[in-house]
């Protein structure tokens, strides 16, 4: 079993829909990252969380440390949101980043 | 633009060869991280340097090595290349440990081994 699990693996949405991507992890962490990888391959760090909730534009990320779970929400989705979204945790013990396998999102007009 | 610069963007080389990938971190960032993204393994953490010293090691092969120079740029050296080393190699930087600050990623170097 992977230490970081994401769901769903693939997600298709119509423009304007509210989207949720989930991340569960099994190790103790010091922080969690949500990354966005564009079709060209470039990676952008969207959020770094260690507790609570963060919002940036149409993106919202939440984390529940007790439940070892994080969610990434996209409100009013747009085709330009189409990308792979990757959850990555920093292991508290080893300080290493452990990546989820990613969620491929496609938003159609 | 993340402020992290990786060169070259693309690299094609033959099996058995050696290549060097370069990363310039954001101004002021002391930590540099290297990651490999291959089709079958996803993103894998390779190694981290902090202020010139190796700080954490992930799934880095013995054929691979890295270093961080006094000006904080880093190089990842890949030797005795195999077809399976074809991947995207990303570098990221942050001011301190990844756990304390956000990491900023470069655009990656796409390595193709033929």
């Amino acid at each position: 079993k992977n230490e970081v699990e994401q769901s769903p693996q693939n997600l298709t949405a119509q423009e304007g829909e509210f989207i949720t991507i989930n991340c569960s992890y099994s190790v103790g962490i010091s922080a969690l990252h949500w990354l966005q990888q564009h079709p060209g391959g470039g990676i952008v760090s969207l959020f770094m969380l260690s507790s609570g909730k963060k919002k940036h534009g149409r993106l919202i990320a939440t984390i529940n440390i007790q439940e070892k779970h994080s969610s990434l929400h996209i409100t009013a989705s747009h085709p330009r949101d189409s990308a792979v979204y990757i959850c990555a945790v920093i292991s508290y013990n080893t300080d290493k980043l452990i990546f989820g396998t990613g969620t491929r999102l496609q938003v159609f007009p | 633009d993340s402020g992290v610069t990786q060169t070259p963007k693309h690299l094609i080389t033959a099996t058995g060869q050696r290549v060097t990938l370069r990363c310039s971190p954001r101004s002021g960032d002391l930590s540099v991280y290297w990651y490999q993204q291959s089709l079958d393994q996803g993103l894998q953490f390779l190694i981290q340097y902090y202020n010139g010293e190796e700080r954490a090691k992930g799934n880095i092969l013995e054929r691979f090595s890295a270093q961080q120079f006094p000006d904080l740029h880093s190089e990842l050296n890949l030797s005795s290349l195999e077809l399976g080393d074809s991947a995207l190699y990303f570098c990221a930087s942050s001011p301190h440990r990844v756990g304390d600050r956000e990491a900023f990623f470069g655009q990656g170097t796409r390595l193709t081994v033929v």
Side-chain angles (χ1 to χ4, degrees), chain B residues 4-26:
Chain B
V4 178
T5 304
Q6 285 188 250
T7 56
K9 287 191 170 56
H10 301 275
L11 197 48
I12 301 175
T13 190
T15 54
Q17 295 297 307
R18 173 190 165 95
V19 297
T20 297
L21 312 183
R22 183 188 167 101
C23 171
S24 294
R26 288 190 327 149

Side-chain angles (χ1 to χ4, degrees), chain A residues 30-31 33 35 37 40-43 45-48 86 90 94-97 99, chain B residues 35 37 43-45 55-58 88 90 97-103 105 107:
Chain A
S30 54
H33 286 257
L35 310 172
Q37 185 168 28
I43 293 179
S45 180
L46 298 174
F47 296 103
M48 192 276 292
I86 302 168
I90 298 98
T94 65
D95 219 23
K96 295 175 188 174
L97 257 180
F99 295 91
Chain B
Y35 306 96
Q37 186 179 38
L43 261 169
Q44 301 270 330
F45 166 68
R55 198 178 187 287
K57 213 165 185 175
L88 260 175
F90 287 100
R97 291 165 45 188
V98 174
D100 295 328
R101 298 287 188 275
E102 293 175 81
F105 283 77
Q107 289 297 301

Side-chain angles (χ1 to χ4, degrees), chain A residues 11 15 18 22-24 26-27 29 31 45 52 60-61 67 69 73 79 83 85 87 92-93 95-96 99 104-105 108:
Chain A
L11 188 51
E15 184 173 356
F18 180 84
N22 295 299
C23 175
S24 296
S26 58
V27 297
I29 70 168
S45 180
I60 302 166
E67 293 186 6
H69 181 269
H73 306 285
Y85 292 83
C87 168
Y92 184 81
N93 288 332
D95 219 23
K96 295 175 188 174
F99 295 91
R104 185 175 299 275
L105 171 66
F108 292 99

Side-chain angles (χ1 to χ4, degrees), chain A residues 15-96:
Chain A
E15 184 173 356
E17 285 185 11
F18 180 84
I19 287 159
T20 296
I21 300 171
N22 295 299
C23 175
S24 296
Y25 52 92
S26 58
V27 297
I29 70 168
S30 54
L32 179 146
H33 286 257
W34 280 103
L35 310 172
Q36 180 192 52
Q37 185 168 28
H38 294 284
I43 293 179
V44 173
S45 180
L46 298 174
F47 296 103
M48 192 276 292
L49 293 163
S50 52
S51 65
K53 177 178 172 177
K54 284 190 177 179
K55 185 175 190 292
H56 182 73
R58 295 179 295 105
L59 301 178
I60 302 166
T62 64
I63 188 168
N64 184 319
I65 296 292
Q66 286 73 29
E67 293 186 6
K68 296 190 173 179
H69 181 269
S70 176
S71 293
L72 176 68
H73 306 285
I74 305 175
T75 61
S77 60
H78 190 275
R80 65 174 174 266
D81 298 325
S82 298
V84 175
Y85 292 83
I86 302 168
C87 168
V89 303
I90 298 98
S91 165
Y92 184 81
N93 288 332
T94 65
D95 219 23
K96 295 175 188 174

